[in-house]
Amino acid sequence: MPPPPSATAGRRSPFSALLLYVTFALVILLLLTSYSPSIPHRGRSLHRRLKLHPRNPSLSGAGAGAPTGGNGAPQQQQNHHHAAPFDPEIAELERRLEDKEWEREHYRILHGDGGGGEADEHMREWEEFLREDEDFINDDERFNLGDRIRALFPKFDLAPRDGFASLDELTRWNLEQSGADQLHRSAREMELYDKNGNGVVSYGDFRAQHNESSGEVNSLGFPWWKEEHFNASDADGDGFLNKTEFNDFLNPSDSENPQIINLLCKQEIRQRDKDGDGKLNFEEYFHGLHDHIHGYDDENADISHIGNNTVAKERFSKLDKDSDGFISEHELEPVLDKLHLSERYYARQQAAHAISEADKDHDGRLTLDEMIENPYAFYGSVFLSDDEDYFHDEFR
């Protein structure tokens, strides 16, 4: 006997219930998909848009050296340091933007014109280049970070070529990039002084133009633009500076020219030599130098011991190689990098930071896979988050 109609009206078959559930789930899924933000293809994370950060050309030419500031910290650390990009292709794009900005800022100097409409045209071109270049580096089909790292890895995995990127290898790579960046800026600035375009600059040419545009501003903490500094940069002694020598002149802290290194040491002695004997006794060292170089032979040194007289005497003795009770200019050379932080310092800092970010097995070195899986540890220098100040801004 069949059940009454009232008993079957409120019941559904198991198949009908299942069909209803599946339909409902599909509708919810479609709604979520239609309102979700699009996921960037090939693994580029949300909010991670690469941006170019060309250096302000008006700040170039001040030299890379950094003296110690009044609070004991190097001035280069107090100011913003602009590091070269990890990827040479990024560096080339930034240099192109810098060159366009340089043309705009120095049009009047280079061409003797008041600027006006020409300067505005330069700005429009600069903004167009910026848009195009940033679109390019954020297009994974044209600029894929994994592919870029694969292409670059063999160029720094050299000593030894063992399939790992060590701290020293990454430091050397970073230093190569910063050196190329620095040389490009120096060559561009040299155009201001090389009026006849013969590829060299005399001190007279430099001084005349420098007095008009730059005054005595530099990052060394003392006047560097004197003739003795120019002559020290003149490695071949011909009375002129070529492109390489001019780069050394503008960036003395990064120079390997022995004459420049010796002159920087002399300058440091002069600043602290109270009795004028051309060297530092312990008191002059303790009150003028010790707090700046404490820990130069031990990166983990306890800075709470800076004012400790016993520790200071130990440091003084290490520097005083001939044990005559004084520190000479030659004995100061091993700690010159502590007084004027060079690109070598920042190259190592960047390498250490990248390893700390990407070294997942904590063996102190990086495999190719670790680098590919953590690309922003290397491209962070051109990366800005949309919603936060992300990734090691002190380097850019």
Side-chain angles (χ1 to χ4, degrees):
M1 180 177 181
S6 59
T8 59
R11 278 196 328 222
R12 290 188 176 91
S13 69
F15 176 77
S16 299
L18 178 62
L19 181 62
L20 181 62
Y21 173 79
V22 170
T23 303
F24 179 77
L26 287 174
V27 170
I28 294 298
L29 181 62
L30 288 172
L31 288 173
L32 288 174
T33 303
S34 63
Y35 286 100
S36 295
S38 59
I39 304 298
H41 59 287
R42 300 180 68 176
R44 185 159 293 187
S45 303
L46 286 174
H47 303 303
R48 294 194 173 188
R49 177 175 172 80
L50 294 177
K51 293 189 179 183
L52 296 171
H53 296 280
R55 179 192 295 262
N56 183 347
S58 65
L59 300 179
S60 65
T68 51
N71 62 358
Q75 288 181 9
Q76 190 74 306
Q77 287 181 328
Q78 295 173 2
N79 298 327
H80 185 64
H81 178 258
H82 188 290
F86 171 80
D87 191 325
E89 193 162 341
I90 293 285
E92 187 60 35
L93 295 176
E94 289 193 359
R95 284 196 284 265
R96 183 173 78 143
L97 289 167
E98 287 179 19
D99 288 346
K100 293 301 296 182
E101 181 68 5
W102 175 269
E103 291 175 13
R104 187 178 72 86
E105 290 192 6
H106 295 275
Y107 186 85
R108 185 157 47 104
I109 297 175
L110 293 173
H111 302 286
D113 188 272
E118 188 71 25
D120 292 340
E121 180 61 27
H122 277 301
M123 175 55 80
R124 284 191 291 270
E125 289 183 10
W126 188 91
E127 292 174 346
E128 182 178 347
F129 282 148
L130 179 62
R131 284 193 298 270
E132 291 176 355
D133 291 345
E134 288 193 349
D135 286 345
F136 169 72
I137 64 175
N138 284 283
D139 184 344
D140 281 338
E141 295 298 333
R142 294 186 292 166
F143 192 84
N144 180 262
L145 299 187
D147 292 343
R148 289 299 302 160
I149 292 174
R150 286 189 189 91
L152 295 175
F153 192 85
K155 298 182 179 181
F156 47 77
D157 175 27
L158 297 173
R161 189 180 291 279
D162 57 359
F164 295 96
S166 68
L167 176 62
D168 288 341
E169 287 172 329
L170 288 175
T171 297
R172 283 193 294 269
W173 174 258
N174 290 338
L175 191 56
E176 286 179 18
Q177 308 320 304
S178 63
D181 203 36
Q182 192 178 79
L183 189 60
H184 177 85
R185 295 194 307 271
S186 295
R188 183 181 59 208
E189 181 156 342
M190 189 174 176
E191 295 177 10
L192 292 177
Y193 307 100
D194 182 17
K195 295 296 187 181
N196 57 11
N198 63 353
V200 295
V201 173
S202 70
Y203 182 69
D205 293 337
F206 171 80
R207 194 69 208 179
Q209 183 62 49
H210 195 265
N211 281 343
E212 295 176 8
S213 61
S214 303
E216 296 296 339
V217 176
N218 67 80
S219 66
L220 289 171
F222 49 78
W224 173 256
W225 313 123
K226 294 182 178 179
E227 191 165 9
E228 65 172 326
H229 309 128
F230 186 95
N231 292 337
S233 306
D234 182 15
D236 58 14
D238 65 353
F240 298 90
L241 299 187
N242 57 33
K243 183 170 69 172
T244 301
E245 294 168 336
F246 191 74
N247 181 58
D248 281 349
F249 181 52
L250 293 186
N251 304 280
S253 297
D254 294 298
S255 174
E256 297 182 359
N257 179 341
Q259 297 180 98
I260 291 180
I261 293 172
N262 181 253
L263 192 53
L264 286 174
C265 290
K266 282 184 177 178
Q267 202 82 49
E268 291 298 332
I269 295 288
R270 290 173 191 169
Q271 286 189 296
R272 297 166 172 86
D273 180 19
K274 302 302 182 183
D275 58 15
D277 62 354
K279 49 192 176 182
L280 301 182
N281 58 38
F282 176 73
E283 289 300 317
E284 290 167 334
Y285 161 80
F286 184 65
H287 295 292
L289 198 64
H290 173 63
D291 56 341
H292 302 317
I293 65 173
H294 173 71
Y296 76 91
D297 55 353
D298 179 7
E299 294 183 357
N300 298 314
D302 185 354
I303 62 173
S304 66
H305 293 161
I306 285 180
N308 187 298
N309 194 277
T310 301
V311 173
K313 287 182 178 180
E314 292 176 358
R315 302 290 181 189
F316 184 87
S317 296
K318 288 183 178 181
L319 289 173
D320 182 17
K321 298 299 184 183
D322 59 8
S323 301
D324 66 349
F326 298 94
I327 295 176
S328 67
E329 58 200 45
H330 296 293
E331 291 171 329
L332 198 60
E333 286 185 17
V335 294
L336 191 60
D337 277 352
K338 291 291 180 179
L339 300 171
H340 305 287
L341 299 188
S342 66
E343 291 296 336
R344 289 183 292 275
Y345 169 84
Y346 291 106
R348 191 172 185 83
Q349 291 293 97
Q350 284 180 272
H353 172 75
I355 290 177
S356 71
E357 290 288 314
D359 182 20
K360 299 309 178 184
D361 60 7
H362 305 292
D363 64 350
R365 56 187 184 173
L366 300 178
T367 64
L368 174 60
D369 286 342
E370 284 176 322
M371 294 183 67
I372 291 174
E373 290 169 6
N374 301 276
Y376 294 104
F378 310 94
Y379 288 83
S381 57
V382 290
F383 161 72
L384 288 179
S385 171
D386 289 345
D387 54 4
E388 59 183 347
D389 293 331
Y390 184 82
F391 203 179
H392 223 57
D393 271 348
E394 62 265 38
F395 284 154
R396 298 298 282 171

